[in-house]
């Protein structure tokens, strides 16, 4: 009797599954352990399946980085929706600093929860960023993702200012880069000391400082 054929998996589903598998390999073994063979073995598929699904290892890495970006985008979307509800009083008037602080704090705390829930995964992504400093091709991929992170934060900050009826003291491109460095730096500190209270306190203070840069009309 001929062996049963494996069910055909749609390409996008396969891409998502293999990207998730790649993250699992990195989280367990380190970002440097990510190879197409390691992903194939972890997913229990032929090595050729990985190469059919992704034209190169760079394409696999781009999908891996996209998963991280999508996770952060989901956090900002939830925070933006919540801010839309919270940044206006019951009579429809604009509020300003206090609610902007609430919105930023909510985003930062959601990020802290995200990191604390999956420390090995966060470590793997930070390892990729460090590896990029020595690998020009990987650096280009990480730079693409960083630019999209900055875009997400820029839009989020712009929305907060519009909803609060104000403007930011600092250029949004600079402010977004500073915010990105702050939250990722705080995550790095937590990965080293695993002090949850300190992690959240640092991010709460960061939210306070950032919110003070919003000037309402």
């Amino acid at each position: 009797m001929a062996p049963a054929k494996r069910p055909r998996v749609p390409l996008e589903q396969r891409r998502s599954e293999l990207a998730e598998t790649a993250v699992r390999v990195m989280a367990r073994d380190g970002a440097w352990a990510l190879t197409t063979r390691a992903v194939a073995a972890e997913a229990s598929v032929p090595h050729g399946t990985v190469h059919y699904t992704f034209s190169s290892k760079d394409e696999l890495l781009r999908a891996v980085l996209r998963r991280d970006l999508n996770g952060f985008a989901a956090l900002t979307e939830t925070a933006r929706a919540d801010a839309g509800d919270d940044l206006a009083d019951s009579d429809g008037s604009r509020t300003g600093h206090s609610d902007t602080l609430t919105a930023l704090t909510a985003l930062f705390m959601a990020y802290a929860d995200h990191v604390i829930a999956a420390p090995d995964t966060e470590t793997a992504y930070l390892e990729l960023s460090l590896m990029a400093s020595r690998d020009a091709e990987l650096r280009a991929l990480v730079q693409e993702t960083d630019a999209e992170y900055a875009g997400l934060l820029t839009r989020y900050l712009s929305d907060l200012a519009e909803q609060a009826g104000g403007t930011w003291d600092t250029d949004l491109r600079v402010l977004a880069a500073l915010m990105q460095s702050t939250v990722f730096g705080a995550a790095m500190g937590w990965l080293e000391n695993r002090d949850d209270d300190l992690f959240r306190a640092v991010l709460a203070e960061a939210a306070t400082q950032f919110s003070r840069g919003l000037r309402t009309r």
Side-chain angles (χ1 to χ4, degrees), residues 138-152:
L138 178 57
R139 188 182 313 135
L141 294 176
V142 170
Q143 285 173 341
E144 287 178 18
T145 305
D146 282 348
E148 293 193 61
Y149 265 111
L152 286 171

Side-chain angles (χ1 to χ4, degrees), residues 94-135:
R94 302 294 185 178
T95 51
H97 174 268
S98 63
D99 284 332
T100 300
L101 171 59
T102 298
L104 288 174
T105 301
L107 174 60
F108 288 1
M109 292 306 106
Y111 175 71
D113 291 342
H114 172 77
V115 173
I116 291 170
D120 292 341
T121 299
E122 192 68 18
T123 298
Y125 279 115
L126 289 171
E127 287 169 347
L128 277 180
S129 294
L130 290 173
M131 289 166 59
S133 67
R134 294 181 179 274
D135 183 325

